[in-house]
Amino acid sequence: MATKNEQLQRAWHAYEKEHGYVPASAREACVWAVGRGIIQMPEIDPFDQLAEDMARALREEYGTDALGRRYRKNHAVRVTKGGVQYTMWAIMGNAPR
């Protein structure tokens, strides 16, 4: 069975062949390939999307200490449990070492 990357590469090459090897965007090729059943639309879990949005927002939150220095308020730690990698978030002053 082909990997996801191999499937996407095959779809791109089929798109190129049908369209005469002219420059195109990856989005155009994906729309074309999904329309022909070459690749499938991914099923997106709305909580995964929300979690990604939240992680982005947490990375962008800054504070200023008493000396006027900026610091990131939230910090992430990657933890592997049972072969699965998780990202755990905490506020800097409240997190255990």
Side-chain angles (χ1 to χ4, degrees):
M1 176 168 219
T3 67
K4 183 177 180 178
N5 280 348
E6 290 168 342
Q7 292 171 358
L8 294 172
Q9 290 164 353
R10 287 183 191 148
W12 170 255
H13 294 300
Y15 177 86
E16 278 191 306
K17 185 175 181 180
E18 185 167 310
H19 289 85
Y21 303 98
V22 296
S25 72
R27 182 181 176 86
E28 291 170 327
C30 286
V31 169
W32 176 87
V34 167
R36 282 156 184 77
I38 297 170
I39 56 176
Q40 301 298 313
M41 286 291 291
E43 291 183 23
I44 299 172
D45 180 350
F47 285 107
D48 283 343
Q49 184 62 51
L50 280 172
E52 185 178 316
D53 293 344
M54 181 179 282
R56 186 177 310 108
L58 294 174
R59 279 191 297 273
E60 294 175 3
E61 188 175 14
Y62 285 82
T64 305
D65 69 9
L67 300 175
R69 299 175 295 194
R70 283 180 43 95
Y71 66 95
R72 267 186 43 193
K73 285 188 174 186
N74 308 298
H75 290 268
V77 174
R78 291 205 172 96
V79 178
T80 302
K81 292 182 181 178
V84 178
Q85 187 177 45
Y86 297 93
T87 302
M88 309 302 283
W89 285 90
I91 296 173
M92 186 61 160
N94 300 338
R97 288 190 160 261

